[in-house]
Amino acid sequence: MITLHNKTVLVSGSTHGIGRAMAQAIVDVGGNVVVHGRKQQVVDTVVAQLGSQSAGLAFDLMDSEGTKVLVDFAVQKFGALHGLVNNAGVYPRDTVENMTANNFDFMFGVNVKTPMFLCKYALEAFRKNTDAFYKGTVINIGSLNALGGLPKISTYSASKGALLNFTRNLAEQWACEKIRVNQLNVGWTRTDNEHITQMSEGNPEDWEHRISPLVAPWGRIWRPQEVAAHTVFLLSDISGPMSGSSYELEQFPLTTPVRG
């Protein structure tokens, strides 16, 4: 049975979409969750919904050095930190031809720099968990685009590729300390933000029901709750001692020729 009883997990970007589903899934299996978002009012609403096993703090992730505040908040509220899910991310569309320096810095700041600094500050908290065999677990939320990427999301794909390399490097660094680090490369998922993106690109309201079976052979794309279930498994001791792995969530073999 999967359980996170007596464990505390910090999930960045957890007020909506996949992150919100992760927060709920952690609470559902007995864990404590620290909710993070950009607006304190929204964070407070989510915490009220999740109940006493949760606490939350709004924070600007572009302040990478200040991410220590989030880690310290988790330890202060629940006494320890056992898991970190680097879920927050941004994905503006661009190609190499039309990318800008500001857009590049923004995406690499949120998608790469912030997870690295959250890991930096989580390490101190993990090392204090001397009564546990697995002292800490990090799940970096990547994307299948880390393995190559679609042409219209060049910078995003590069940032997720960088995160994947960092995941493997960090797993090697922390293995002897019994701290696990894995990356969950998520396939196309139906979130509210994805719906907004599809609308902004001129697609019809029912776009998700028009997806080619070559892309979604099961007749639909992923749901946030399904991604959350895999995240909880990776956070739990039952998935150990797996570390340094790239865990792809897709509904067809990645060796299959380009689809769509």
Side-chain angles (χ1 to χ4, degrees):
M1 177 180 176
I2 295 176
T3 179
L4 293 176
H5 184 63
N6 289 330
K7 292 183 182 292
T8 297
V9 182
L10 166 60
V11 184
S12 67
S14 45
T15 57
H16 61 274
I18 293 173
R20 174 64 179 85
M22 289 174 181
Q24 185 66 61
I26 290 166
V27 168
D28 287 346
V29 295
N32 302 316
V33 65
V34 175
V35 175
H36 159 263
R38 290 178 292 178
K39 297 180 179 180
Q40 190 63 50
Q41 183 178 0
V42 178
V43 170
D44 291 342
T45 298
V46 172
V47 168
Q49 294 167 348
L50 292 171
S52 61
Q53 290 172 237
S54 68
L57 184 67
F59 197 81
D60 181 4
L61 289 180
M62 290 302 289
D63 181 9
S64 299
E65 287 284 0
T67 51
K68 186 176 187 298
V69 173
L70 274 175
V71 174
D72 289 346
F73 176 81
V75 175
Q76 177 187 357
K77 287 294 182 180
F78 295 107
L81 180 67
H82 306 90
L84 168 64
V85 182
N86 284 309
N87 170 71
V90 291
Y91 51 95
R93 307 310 207 209
D94 74 355
T95 65
V96 170
E97 183 178 12
N98 65 23
M99 70 179 179
T100 65
N102 286 341
N103 201 43
F104 180 93
D105 290 344
F106 175 56
M107 270 196 272
F108 266 77
V110 175
N111 295 353
V112 183
K113 186 178 180 181
T114 293
M116 293 180 72
F117 274 84
L118 278 171
C119 287
K120 169 185 172 71
Y121 295 121
L123 176 59
E124 181 180 351
F126 290 161
R127 283 174 170 166
K128 294 178 180 178
N129 298 327
T130 55
D131 59 339
F133 182 77
Y134 299 117
K135 294 181 180 179
T137 302
V138 176
I139 309 297
N140 290 325
I141 303 303
S143 165
L144 291 183
N145 290 289
L147 309 179
L150 297 171
K152 63 182 178 180
I153 46 177
S154 297
T155 304
Y156 174 77
S157 299
S159 72
K160 291 302 184 180
L163 184 65
L164 177 57
N165 192 61
F166 171 66
T167 297
R168 291 168 172 163
N169 182 275
L170 195 61
E172 181 71 19
Q173 289 184 50
W174 289 358
C176 291
E177 296 201 56
K178 302 297 188 294
I179 299 171
R180 302 184 301 133
V181 187
N182 293 293
Q183 180 152 320
L184 191 59
N185 285 329
V186 180
W188 198 1
T189 305
R190 204 296 184 193
T191 64
D192 290 343
N193 280 346
E194 179 60 22
H195 182 71
I196 292 170
T197 298
Q198 293 296 323
M199 294 294 93
S200 71
E201 294 180 344
N203 291 308
E205 185 75 24
D206 63 343
W207 61 271
E208 63 180 299
H209 301 297
R210 298 170 178 255
I211 298 172
S212 167
L214 293 175
V215 178
W218 292 91
R220 63 174 178 82
I221 56 178
W222 288 86
R223 299 291 185 264
Q225 293 77 10
E226 293 167 326
V227 178
H230 286 268
T231 306
V232 167
F233 164 71
L234 290 175
L235 285 168
S236 71
D237 290 352
I238 200 172
S239 66
M242 184 176 76
S243 191
S245 292
S246 170
Y247 186 112
E248 277 72 50
L249 280 187
E250 196 44 281
Q251 44 186 301
F252 50 79
L254 298 185
T255 54
T256 301
V258 177
R259 291 173 175 263

